[in-house]
Amino acid sequence: ADFDAKKKRKVAEIYQVLNSEPIDVAALRRMAISEGGLLTDEIRCKVWPKLLSVNTDDLPPPPAGKELREDNKDYQQVLLDVQRSLRRFPPGMPDEQREGLQEDLIDIILHVLKRNPQLHYYQGYHDIVVTFLLVVGDRLATALVEKLSTHHLRDFMDPTMDNTKHILNYLMPIIDQMNPEVHDFMQSAEVGTIFALSWLITWFGHVLSDFRHVVRLYDFFLACHPLMPIYFAAVIVLYRGQEVLDCECDMASVHHLLSQIPQDLPYEKLISKAGDIFVRFPPSKLAKEAAQQQAERTAAFTFKDFELAAMQQRPDTLRRRFRERPQAEERTKSILSKPRTNRLVKLAVVGLTVALGAAALAVVKSALEWAPKFELQLFP
């Protein structure tokens, strides 16, 4: 009953913010981050567009399926992925309704790709799009996904995996700051970070079976800095730290343990922990170590964990994306050693101030730099 009262109060507060002029987006971020997130899909339909600054009065017309599908180089792959996405739809949904939604899903993806030729489809992208489709419907989902794809997901949609790998390189430095023992154990086991790849590129949509947990995380990620999903990934590993240490110290065992994500995680606790770590160790503090990670990844080392990933996942998942580019490591080093004053991104973690108290204020007031190449001003 106490929770219900709290929930009612929070719903009222959110509507109060939504009905005020101008809308205080920072307050909406706080609501999305704090306990319980945005609570209902009805509220998400109203708040998610605000978090992504999408104008709902000016939505594109629904994508026209037929001409999108003809001569589209991604169509076959998207079709395959969408056909395999059965478990992302609510159990018990009538086939006809689900098939209609799968058609919408294909259209949204092809529409966004057609309008943004610089974006490349990757497997797992449909796991993000389906989440938006189920929560906000096709028209609004199209607009939100397009904005998200040119901002938060931008690095996953490059022609190569370089920037995605670069983001994965933040994982170990975060773990090292919080629990050096777990970090050193994982380094000795040479487990790499591939186990977290599908978490990161689907915002956990692909690996969590309960839709409520997925949308709760989307509330959190939409309100935060684009790197927050990698902090959340680190928090899951830290939460399982003892299990990791009890494991055989070899790659296969640790990889196997970590890639099986427990479904009963204490999400609210982990969300506030991730926010907390972000405030203490923002990406700018970890960038040097992330570059170091990249530089130390010898060909043998990387080959080993990609090979393992290829065994563990459907072979078509990774093939297109893992074309190794040796000069990438040099590039990462040079990118990170240059002063990057001109590429500041306004911190999107304003919402953490309430969730985490005064410690966050200092960070919120300062802008954060973000490598590798994030020249877009997020959230003007």
Side-chain angles (χ1 to χ4, degrees), residues 247-315:
C247 208
E248 290 291 313
C249 188
D250 66 69
M251 178 189 217
S253 313
V254 182
H255 180 92
H256 180 75
L257 172 79
L258 288 173
S259 52
Q260 309 297 312
I261 204 167
Q263 294 297 323
D264 56 349
L265 295 166
Y267 291 92
E268 295 301 334
K269 221 168 87 183
L270 298 183
I271 283 170
S272 75
K273 182 85 177 142
D276 205 17
I277 296 175
F278 187 98
V279 168
R280 289 175 56 200
F281 302 104
S284 50
K285 266 194 177 164
L286 301 171
K288 257 206 187 70
E289 283 176 69
Q292 198 51 40
Q293 290 278 90
Q294 181 76 8
E296 283 167 8
R297 297 177 79 78
T298 61
F301 188 107
T302 12
F303 177 69
K304 205 165 153 188
D305 68 13
F306 290 150
E307 186 181 38
L308 188 84
M311 277 164 18
Q312 296 260 343
Q313 302 191 30
R314 289 191 311 273

Side-chain angles (χ1 to χ4, degrees), residues 36 104 172 206 221 285 288 341 356:
D104 292 341
M172 296 306 284
H206 186 71
F221 296 151
K285 266 194 177 164
K288 257 206 187 70
T341 42
L356 305 169

Side-chain angles (χ1 to χ4, degrees), residues 195-205 207 233 236-237 258-259 261:
F195 64 86
L197 177 67
S198 64
W199 306 356
L200 178 68
I201 64 177
T202 67
W203 275 13
F204 297 83
V207 290
I236 291 179
V237 176
L258 288 173
S259 52
I261 204 167

Side-chain angles (χ1 to χ4, degrees), residues 340 342-345 370 372-378:
R340 307 180 57 81
N342 58 336
R343 296 187 187 175
L344 291 180
V345 174
W370 143 239
K373 55 160 188 29
F374 216 72
E375 287 143 316
L376 297 160
Q377 280 294 309
L378 268 198

